Amino acid sequence: MREKSDRLFYNVDWLLVGIFLALVVMGWFNIYSAVYDEQKSDIFNWTRLESKQMIFAVTSIVLAFSILVIDATFFTATAFYLYAGVLLLNLIVAFAGAEIKGSRSWFKFGGFSLQPAEFAKWATALALAKFMSGLAKPNMKQAMGIAIGIIALPVLIIILLQRETGVALVFAAMVIVLYREGLVPGWLLLIGLISVLAMVVGIKYHEAIAFLVLIFAGLAALRILMLRKKTFKQILISAIAVLYLGGLMFVSSKVIEKMPEHQTGRIKVWLGLDVDRATEDRFGYNTKQSLIAIGSGGLAGKGYLDGTQTKFRFVPEQETDFIFCTVGEEWGFYGSAFVVLLYSMLIVRIILRSERQRSDFTRIYGYAVASIFLFHLMVNVGMTIGILPVIGIPLPFFSYGGSSLISFTVLLFIFVKLDSQRLLILR
Amino acid sequence: MNPQDRKYFVVGFVVLAALLYTARLFYVQVVEDKYKLSASNQAFLYQTDYPPRGAIFDRNGKLLVFNQVAYDLMVVPRDMEGCDTTGLCAILNITKDEMLKRLARLSGSVEDASRDYRSHIFESQMLPELNARLQERMYKFNGFYVQSRTVRKYTYPIAAHLLGYVGEVNDAECAANPYYKSGDYIGKSGIEKGYEEYLRGKKGFQIKMRDVHNNIKGSYQNGKYDSAAVEGKDLVATLDADLQLYGEQLMQNKIGGLCAIEPATGEILALITSPTYDPNLFVGRDFSKNYVMLVKDSIGRPLFNRALMSSYPPGSTFKLMNALIGLQEGVLTPATMYPCAHGYPPLGGKPKCHPHGSPTNLYGSIATSCNSYYSYVFKSILDNRKYKSQEEGYKAWRQFVLSFGVGMEIGTDLPYENKGNVPTPEYYDKVFGKGRWKSITLTGAGLGIGQAELGVTPVQMCNIICTIANRGYYHVPHCIKTIEGDSSFVQRWTKRHYTMVTSTAAYEAVIEGMAQVMTNGTGRAVQIPGIEMCGKTGTAQNPHGDDHSVFVLFAPRVNPKIAIAVLVENAGYGAAYAAPIASLMVEKYLTGKVERKDMEQRMLESDLIHKTAGTQKKVSH
């Protein structure tokens, strides 16, 4: 046993490594196509994005294998320090970083830039795993406040100080971790889901709110009449539910108007609300162009480097947030469904491996990793195909950018390493 | 619930989300087509290259129709958002109101305009100066673009009906042929319509790719789907421009039609409708204005191609036909004599006739144009014992007439031919009742002398004369000799159409009669010295007023070079107007000059349109 486990890549889940490599390589080829220019494309011209992304890709692959070399106890031991360090970086960037489009989240070094908010994802996952795995089981419920605090701290810094809402939203995905660990009951998630639906309905049909509330109230009254024998408590709960949902609808329809203009615009366009032409052009343009690009790919796509919508820059941000358009246009339904399948395999594999851990730390960390990937996949692809409003977050391994590629690599490979040592870690 | 079991919910959620996303991708990429359409509209620029239309030359190589460059201001109403309409109106010198009206008219309505993605001609055939001024500020005029086109130009102001004109395609034409797109030009009448497929050439298409800033990024798939424009083919018409011009001058201020054909080939030498118009009126920005002006002339009806489309009673010229049929059927010989008593004796002098020597033989009957002679002849054809009944006799007579190309589309290369009319037996059944009409009934009606319901167009009339000149056959009259690069085309018209009158002797007898018309008959005043000619006058009664003056003629008698039919509406005796005009035309064509200046002068100066109509005796002559 000992001798075997001493070997460098002992017990590594090669399926995860394989999916990772496939995504990185496909991602790079896709970036190459997205910025393709017959005259200018050049893998070794360091001012061009495809070359830069190649450096990032090579760096991240090297980094991935470096993490496999480090002993997993390093991450369990230094989790809080890494968390603190990353938070500090995020604080510094909020004051000393370069201002881009009203947000301060980037450090600039010559031709390269760094976004510490990306690092907060794995740092927070580590800290959460460390804290929660250290708790004795009965105390878990009481510790919920602290767990939420660990998640909320980077969110607050990123939203309030750096003004980068998109990146911060991903921390909401951690609710899955809390759910799995029993800190959040299922009914609460259900209420959350219904609340989000109520808000969407409220925004979309704000004229009809009163009507809906009446229907709810009517249904509740009907139920009370049918169950006449039941107690006052049930009447009270029904009344509260009606008031809560109605109130939520009303409030959300008002709040939407008070939100920053671009958020209001994106949400309204997404919900298909009546907006003037200028608003539609400004906030609906990305989604429209993205749908045209993906939709025009058809079943089998237009062929590599032959996409017209992406190559001729109809789709904005196509090498970063809207990179999935290139997949959809050039590889068609086959290609885009394959990419979705690959991500789903990655996520499900991580969940299943997490469940096999003896160590709480690895399981909690694994769930955090799966949640983050899931959130990115759903939100990023969802916005390109018009399911969700436009939220500026990258598609892991596909979107252009060193910070995100490197942090997703770190995020994934810490798990791969922890998982490979599952037989040694007993906590 | 045990927290371990919650993994099923989480995994279930992931799988559900993946399925939902895949389904949505399937819908967007495979089921829904609108995105593909948008993509091709955005990224592809479909360009059309319009080839120059073919030119048209006359038989002697004179250029009749050619092209000049013009600029059409095109509009795609849907793309107009943000257009500097005020600036555009100022350049075009129109009011904003006018612009909106025009857009509404192009798209159907104001509401349709915002959705209309088709190209329309907004301002047609602008001059180069105006185009230059527009181009300077074109970038401000969203939805508009300039398409350079070739427009027709006519060297001589002649042959408007024959040449036809070119105009923008209408919806029906677009629907009938997918080649045409809104805003294209198409031949609307005459040769322009008849030979549209040769003249137009083939449009070229190019698919260019463009980026989001509208910069052209090269051809789609390296031009795999592109095609080059093919120029229209040049045509050589059978027309003699000098003869056509001369004829139009002779016919001016008169209403009628004239057709001259080379009998040996069927080539139309001149095809004249009067009043006519300058074909250049139908070119350029004033097209609509001029068109309306011409349409409004309800008396002259200058747009109506009388030579081809107007069916007239042939009058006495039709006696030639009855003579031929009678001779062929053996009910008539050149020596046959019939009496005349200022009319047809069996019906008490109806149809009436004018004073002349009586009785006459065949030659005399043609020369003097005796009405009772041909009433006898017609009746004898129908009464022929070889037919079971007079109705059968009529049917046989009718078949003879049809074989001369009357009562049917003769098959020229011009659109909108009139069939003329030879009444069917069923028609008479309806008029008189089944079994209640006989040969005498129709004789009395005037079928023997080219009256009653008979209808013949000037082209058909001329074709009959060609058949006589050829002694038994005709070539389908046509107006195009050769087409550039199409050597097989000349074969198209070589077929001889033989009539049912096959006896050469019959033709020679009729020709002798026609020759006597010119030497000592009704046409002697228009005989050209030194040329043996064969003619026949006609004075066609008609329900619309004074008699039509008709004359048919071919010359020379041996080896004929030209056959001509002239009809002048409400001009009285055939010898009065139609005969001099026909004769002058023949003189001009055969000798290249006109010696009889008095006659020429009289024809050029006579004005029948603006005369006060006088009553004339309705007697065939």
Side-chain angles (χ1 to χ4, degrees), chain A residues 179-180 184 277 285 289 292 294-296 298-299 309 312-314 328 332-333 336 344 355 367 378 382 385, chain B residues 3 6-7 9-10 18 21-22 24-26 28-30 35-36 38-39 42-43 81 209-212 217:
Chain A
Y179 168 70
R180 165 60 185 85
V184 173
R277 179 113 186 211
Y285 182 79
Q289 291 298 341
I292 289 173
I294 294 173
S296 67
L299 196 61
Q309 304 311 109
F312 298 141
R313 315 210 68 77
F314 286 95
F333 173 71
S336 42
S344 314
E355 288 292 346
Y367 260 89
M378 287 186 67
I385 58 180
Chain B
R6 291 186 170 183
K7 71 181 175 201
F9 284 96
V10 178
Y21 275 46
T22 309
R24 169 73 178 167
L25 280 168
F26 189 78
V28 169
Q29 298 190 286
V30 182
Y35 301 119
K36 291 168 193 68
S38 303
Q42 281 185 338
E81 177 122 358
M209 296 189 292
R210 56 180 170 188
D211 69 6
V212 67
K217 296 297 225 182

Side-chain angles (χ1 to χ4, degrees), chain A residues 65-366:
Chain A
F65 285 89
S66 313
I67 290 170
L68 293 184
V69 176
I70 301 169
D71 194 280
T73 47
F74 169 76
F75 299 108
T76 51
T78 61
F80 285 135
Y81 304 108
L82 289 171
Y83 179 68
V86 168
L87 282 191
L88 191 63
L89 264 181
N90 272 289
L91 275 174
I92 293 170
V93 80
F95 296 102
E99 180 159 341
I100 299 169
K101 287 187 203 159
S103 71
R104 277 182 192 275
S105 65
W106 290 89
F107 284 122
K108 289 232 167 218
F109 315 104
F112 293 93
S113 33
L114 188 78
Q115 193 176 28
E118 290 290 343
F119 300 154
K121 291 170 193 168
W122 51 261
T124 305
L126 279 176
L128 192 65
K130 177 81 176 175
F131 172 72
M132 285 171 63
S133 62
L135 289 170
K137 286 279 170 191
N139 295 335
M140 294 261 287
K141 295 231 160 144
Q142 285 76 18
M144 192 173 156
I146 298 174
I148 290 174
I150 288 172
I151 300 165
L153 202 53
V155 173
L156 290 175
I157 292 172
I158 293 168
I159 291 184
L160 295 179
L161 300 179
Q162 298 180 3
R163 303 190 183 285
E164 262 292 353
T165 320
V167 183
L169 280 176
V170 71
F171 292 93
M174 300 289 187
V175 77
I176 296 175
V177 182
L178 301 181
Y179 168 70
R180 165 60 185 85
E181 295 307 314
L183 289 186
V184 173
W187 59 265
L188 197 62
L189 280 188
L190 198 65
I191 287 180
L193 199 68
I194 291 172
S195 303
V196 170
L197 278 176
M199 286 194 279
V200 168
V201 169
I203 294 166
K204 191 165 167 69
Y205 305 104
H206 51 95
E207 312 87 355
I209 285 175
F211 181 66
L212 278 168
V213 171
L214 277 177
I215 287 179
F216 270 106
L219 285 175
L222 201 68
R223 184 175 149 75
I224 291 160
L225 287 173
M226 281 167 66
L227 307 166
R228 195 176 278 276
K229 283 178 194 159
K230 295 293 175 176
T231 56
F232 172 75
K233 195 179 158 194
Q234 278 184 329
I235 298 173
L236 192 67
I237 288 171
S238 303
I240 288 171
V242 168
L243 281 178
Y244 169 72
L245 291 175
L248 204 59
M249 286 178 193
F250 180 76
V251 168
S252 56
S253 75
K254 295 295 167 202
V255 165
I256 182 84
E257 303 296 344
K258 305 282 179 234
M259 280 160 67
E261 194 193 357
H262 69 279
Q263 291 173 355
T264 309
R266 285 171 180 182
I267 290 172
K268 281 188 170 176
V269 169
W270 169 58
L271 289 176
L273 292 177
D274 253 350
V275 288
D276 56 76
R277 179 113 186 211
T279 311
E280 193 185 326
D281 281 350
R282 231 177 111 199
F283 302 113
Y285 182 79
N286 292 26
T287 309
K288 184 178 146 199
Q289 291 298 341
S290 159
L291 275 169
I292 289 173
I294 294 173
S296 67
L299 196 61
K302 295 178 185 169
Y304 187 58
L305 299 183
D306 280 337
T308 51
Q309 304 311 109
T310 47
K311 200 161 70 176
F312 298 141
R313 315 210 68 77
F314 286 95
V315 184
E317 318 260 350
Q318 54 176 297
E319 68 279 356
T320 55
D321 294 347
F322 282 90
I323 189 70
F324 191 70
C325 295
T326 313
V327 182
E329 189 183 13
E330 297 190 343
W331 300 99
F333 173 71
Y334 294 143
S336 42
F338 180 69
V339 169
V340 169
L341 179 73
L342 218 51
Y343 276 112
S344 314
M345 278 170 62
L346 179 83
I347 293 160
V348 171
R349 180 77 177 178
I350 293 170
I351 293 170
L352 296 182
R353 297 296 286 201
S354 303
E355 288 292 346
R356 284 173 39 182
Q357 304 299 323
R358 291 189 216 162
S359 144
D360 291 343
F361 183 97
T362 309
R363 183 185 67 245
I364 295 165
Y365 181 78

Side-chain angles (χ1 to χ4, degrees), chain B residues 77-93:
Chain B
R78 196 182 62 173
D79 296 343
M80 273 182 61
E81 177 122 358
C83 175
D84 173 17
T85 48
T86 318
L88 186 60
C89 286
I91 293 178
L92 295 177
N93 198 18

Side-chain angles (χ1 to χ4, degrees), chain A residues 27-43 45 47-54 304-323 325-327 329-330 398-401, chain B residues 217:
Chain A
W28 182 82
F29 275 100
N30 229 32
I31 297 259
Y32 182 86
S33 178
V35 299
Y36 182 71
D37 185 314
E38 213 164 319
Q39 275 89 47
K40 293 187 196 144
S41 271
D42 181 358
I43 305 173
N45 174 347
T47 61
R48 288 195 54 84
L49 299 186
E50 67 268 27
S51 316
K52 287 192 186 176
Q53 185 71 9
M54 178 123 99
Y304 187 58
L305 299 183
D306 280 337
T308 51
Q309 304 311 109
T310 47
K311 200 161 70 176
F312 298 141
R313 315 210 68 77
F314 286 95
V315 184
E317 318 260 350
Q318 54 176 297
E319 68 279 356
T320 55
D321 294 347
F322 282 90
I323 189 70
C325 295
T326 313
V327 182
E329 189 183 13
E330 297 190 343
F398 268 69
S399 291
Y400 171 80
Chain B
K217 296 297 225 182

Side-chain angles (χ1 to χ4, degrees), chain B residues 252-272:
Chain B
Q252 72 192 3
N253 292 322
K254 300 160 195 75
I255 296 175
L258 179 156
C259 178
I261 296 175
E262 184 178 74
T265 57
E267 291 175 0
I268 296 174
L269 302 169
L271 190 66
I272 296 166

